Amino acid sequence: MTENILKVQIDQTEALPFSEEAIFRAVADNLDRIDTDSDEACLLVTGPMAMILYWEGDKVIVERVMRSDDLKSELK
């Protein structure tokens, strides 16, 4: 049996609107949606949480975390 280890790095400098545990769980629960060979950033929206993230080697880099309600105002 092989064990896969998910590495998640949060690079946001401002206060997080969700706990690190909630962010990790959102990434882990949606790994099939973000598990690609591309190194391009993607937007993952999961209910109340929105994240800009990308793969770097064997880890997921979370660049930005926000409430999905704030997404529209952030993208103006």
Side-chain angles (χ1 to χ4, degrees):
M1 180 172 128
T2 58
E3 184 176 309
N4 294 330
I5 297 174
L6 176 61
K7 298 176 189 173
V8 178
Q9 176 178 323
I10 302 171
D11 279 355
Q12 182 164 313
T13 55
E14 57 222 32
L16 297 170
F18 300 94
S19 70
E20 290 181 0
E21 181 180 340
I23 294 167
F24 179 85
R25 175 60 48 208
V27 171
D29 288 348
N30 292 281
L31 201 54
D32 59 324
R33 294 172 62 195
I34 61 173
D35 191 15
T36 68
D37 292 332
S38 173
D39 61 352
E40 298 292 321
C42 69
L43 174 65
L44 176 64
V45 180
T46 62
M49 189 183 309
M51 293 179 277
I52 298 172
L53 46 81
Y54 60 93
W55 283 95
E56 187 174 272
D58 64 344
K59 65 184 167 189
V60 177
I61 307 294
V62 179
E63 190 70 32
R64 180 90 164 90
V65 181
M66 64 194 94
R67 296 191 180 283
S68 57
D69 295 351
D70 298 336
L71 186 58
K72 187 175 181 179
S73 63
E74 288 286 327
L75 296 176
K76 285 185 178 181

